[in-house]
Amino acid sequence: MNRPPHNKGYTLIEMMIVLLILSSVTAIVVSSFQTAYSAKQTSHFLEQLQDDLYYTQAVAISRGETTSLTIYPENHEYVVYGKNKKLLIRRTFPSHIVFKGGTLGYKVVYLANGNVQKPGTLFINTNFASYKVVVQLGKGRFYVAKL
């Protein structure tokens, strides 16, 4: 009896090549998603920080009391305090975001009239870019700029 060769399947080498190609493509796609996710986290953090600075100023004006936003870089968090160190907001931020205290230090204080107590600059470094937060003298104006 003559039996034909079994040509119905793939060889082990062919399967390994296909799996190697698929795993390489998957690794590339996953790493690009992680990069995009970190960039989105940074963007969201900067927006949240701006909103919280506006909130800190609004509370100072509306309640007629000194309020502050204090950054604790070693704990990866910042806190908004009202009168007598009353906790208003506590937020954490991702570990890839690093604060560098500039002339402002790690604290922004708004007086009862909405003016900032001390103007200055605060630097923020991420995996992708560096930013500076500039708090200007008078009326508590500030802006965030990419370096």
Side-chain angles (χ1 to χ4, degrees):
M1 275 193 176
N2 248 349
R3 293 167 105 193
H6 297 285
N7 290 334
K8 295 182 179 182
Y10 297 103
T11 65
L12 180 61
I13 299 296
E14 291 171 332
M15 291 294 285
M16 289 180 68
I17 291 171
V18 169
L19 288 174
L20 177 68
I21 292 170
L22 285 175
S23 63
S24 299
V25 169
T26 302
I28 291 169
V29 169
V30 166
S31 67
S32 67
F33 278 132
Q34 288 175 339
T35 303
Y37 179 70
S38 293
K40 186 63 180 170
Q41 272 186 321
T42 301
S43 172
H44 180 264
F45 166 75
L46 291 172
E47 290 173 12
Q48 189 69 57
L49 179 64
Q50 289 179 40
D51 289 345
D52 288 341
L53 281 168
Y54 285 126
Y55 173 77
T56 305
Q57 184 182 29
V59 168
I61 293 169
S62 66
R63 295 183 184 175
E65 61 188 44
T66 301
T67 57
S68 66
L69 186 142
T70 306
I71 301 162
Y72 299 103
E74 64 280 352
N75 297 338
H76 295 284
E77 71 176 4
Y78 66 86
V79 180
V80 176
Y81 292 112
K83 186 177 181 181
N84 298 325
K85 286 277 201 179
K86 180 182 176 191
L87 179 66
L88 301 176
I89 295 176
R90 171 174 275 138
R91 298 215 195 272
T92 59
F93 52 87
S95 59
H96 73 272
I97 296 174
V98 179
F99 279 90
K100 302 281 184 179
T103 58
L104 191 60
Y106 294 111
K107 189 174 192 177
V108 180
V109 178
Y110 286 100
L111 304 174
N113 62 1
N115 290 338
V116 69
Q117 184 179 39
K118 175 185 170 188
T121 306
L122 175 69
F123 296 97
I124 302 171
N125 294 328
T126 68
N127 294 342
F128 310 104
S130 295
Y131 301 89
K132 68 177 178 178
V133 178
V134 179
V135 180
Q136 299 171 334
L137 184 63
K139 298 299 179 194
R141 292 188 178 98
F142 70 91
Y143 64 90
V144 178
K146 190 173 183 178
L147 299 176

